[in-house]
Amino acid sequence: MEYALEIRNLSKSYGDFRLKDVSFSLPRGYIMGLIGPNGAGKTTIIKLVLNLIRRDGGEIRALGFDNLADEVEIKSRIGFVHDTPFFYEHLTLANVRKTVAPFYRDWDDALFRRLADEFRLPLGKRFKKLSRGTKMKFALAVALSHKADLLILDEPTSGLDPVFRRELLQKLSAFIQDEGKSVLFSTHITSDLERIADFITFIRGGEIVFSSPRDQILGAWAVVKGGPELLAAEHRALFKGHRQGAYGVQALTAAAGEVHRRFGRDAVVETATLEEIMFYMTKGNGHA
Amino acid sequence: MLKLCLKDLLAARWFLLANMTVLLLYALQPYFSAGFIMAAGGVVVIAGLAIVFFLEDRDKTEILTLSLPVKRSAIVGARHLLGALFLAVCGGIVFGVIAPLGTVIRSRSDAAGLSRLLSIEAAVLFFVITLFFLALYLPLYHRFGFGRGTIVFLIAGIALVSLGAAGLFAILPAAPAPGRELGTAVIGSVRAIRSSLGTPLFLLSAVAVVVVPFAISLRLSLRFYARREF
């Protein structure tokens, strides 16, 4: 299988944060959601891919190239949207384009104009005068205009209204229709990923919890609701985290079938959403 | 590297133009001597770079630049090139515009002092000293970033200028009146060095004096910037 992004045993320490032996792969032609709570290490991974920070160990290959040895080649084929678009605030969008376009050999000005029309971007307006949504649209238009093979988006939807989020997700779905294009999409708004992601990588405290196809995750993970017997010592290993309230226990499991077999009608087993998985793994009283 | 320079020039063009205009307006005041005008030219060169770095720092566009398909070494090289370009432009303004214009529009006595600017010695002095300060600023910027780098440079720069001025007052043959005549006295001393070395050897020595610190500066900047994290 060809990969758009392969990360092997990536590690990085700074301050009191450590990224520990992170490994995952994004096959070409797919969208991967990188989820995790704030401070989990999502942005650190993206910064390491773009060489904004130095890694302590491990390997990163993007589109078949090593991200250190072939940095220029990789970056010319990656489109990026940072959580805050970093463009010159006092320049008009038309001039911002002039500061970026010359660096890309495959820059397609006609495509940029088309996207600008589609996103209703005011090219004569200064960047600082735009709303956050319009700034993100502009960053996306720039990222798409050099015909990137891999799009890397770091929290592009945070703080944006649902209309734009939906528009962005549609754009990303359309982007990967072109064979061989891939997207790595970091977010903590997990509902976005349930719509479009093919793979989900969950990172917590600098460690990968899982990296699997979305359908496999949503098929295996479940929230179990039942009585206190769920937390009996012989069952605890089934659960990754739980919440205990006045009306019973809710617990997260990655073995929905086994839970069903053990508890039968004594427990309600419901497919877990990504948000629930993230919540229980982060805040729930963990067992595993 | 040229694309990076053009990006910076496009982003900072109006600020840079204002910076150069200030130099022209300042230098054409009748009461400023040749030394003051050369110093102002040097300050404008450094200020030009600082403007570019300030805008980059204000809008955090360094992250954008580092995400573009360019190597860090090219970014460092472009900043050195930009410094050299500002030096060439300011040198052109000081020696190609201010000096000849000043000798025409100023009073006879002022014009006589200013005419010292129209000499090889003055030009060499301007380029050597300004390049030295550029060579000091750039590694500090690449090591500490805009805010801390500029502050450390200013402290180091003021200390060096004070030490240099004190040293010159002590060693110059005819100690000049403080401030106003120091520049012309230094130009006179450089003229003496040129006479003793001969023009070709003098120019060759000047090139060596310029190239060595600039090369060290480039090397240090590359080393510092390779380690920077964003």
Side-chain angles (χ1 to χ4, degrees), chain A residues 220-232 235-245 248-256 259 263 267-273 276-277 279-281 284-288:
Chain A
W221 291 73
V223 173
V224 185
K225 294 172 183 171
E229 67 277 9
L230 287 181
L231 300 178
H235 303 311
R236 282 206 165 211
L238 286 175
F239 301 110
K240 304 285 185 187
H242 74 272
R243 270 168 64 194
Q244 199 162 5
V249 172
Q250 292 187 13
L252 179 77
T253 181
V259 169
F263 294 97
V268 178
V269 181
E270 292 171 351
T271 302
T273 61
E276 284 169 330
I277 295 173
F279 172 77
Y280 281 100
M281 296 294 287
N285 303 315
H287 308 303

Side-chain angles (χ1 to χ4, degrees), chain B residues 113-197:
Chain B
L114 205 62
S115 66
R116 287 175 184 269
L117 273 180
L118 287 170
S119 64
I120 291 175
E121 296 82 14
V124 164
L125 205 60
F126 173 77
F127 283 104
V128 167
I129 293 175
T130 311
L131 260 173
F132 172 78
F133 281 103
L134 272 179
L136 180 67
Y137 184 37
L138 283 160
L140 290 173
Y141 168 75
H142 287 105
R143 172 70 181 80
F144 299 114
F146 173 71
R148 279 174 63 203
T150 305
I151 289 169
V152 173
F153 167 74
L154 286 175
I155 292 168
I158 289 167
L160 282 171
V161 167
S162 308
L163 277 174
L168 286 170
F169 278 123
I171 61 166
L172 280 177
R180 187 172 163 80
E181 295 303 325
L182 182 61
T184 46
V186 174
I187 293 171
S189 301
V190 175
R191 182 165 294 157
I193 295 171
R194 180 189 163 195
S195 307
S196 64
L197 289 177

Side-chain angles (χ1 to χ4, degrees), chain A residues 12 14 47 50-55 68-69 71-72 75-76 78 80 82 85-91 95 98-100 102-104, chain B residues 3-4 7-8 10-13 15 52 55-56 58-72 226-230:
Chain A
K12 170 75 187 169
Y14 47 6
K47 283 183 171 181
L50 291 172
N51 279 337
L52 296 178
I53 53 176
R54 289 177 304 138
R55 64 195 183 213
L68 294 181
E71 184 179 6
V72 173
K75 285 183 176 174
S76 67
I78 289 181
F80 56 86
H82 294 290
F86 300 112
F87 296 112
Y88 286 107
E89 295 274 341
H90 61 285
L91 293 185
N95 279 332
K98 286 184 195 166
T99 64
V100 176
F103 292 93
Y104 293 104
Chain B
K3 287 177 196 169
L4 286 161
K7 170 185 78 68
D8 290 337
L10 175 66
R13 62 198 191 285
F15 301 93
V52 170
L55 291 175
E56 202 160 57
R58 185 194 66 180
D59 298 338
K60 297 188 174 62
T61 56
E62 206 158 10
I63 293 174
L64 165 75
T65 309
L66 286 161
S67 305
L68 294 170
V70 286
K71 282 184 176 288
R72 286 192 182 206
R227 292 180 193 161
R228 281 278 300 280
E229 301 201 320
F230 296 88

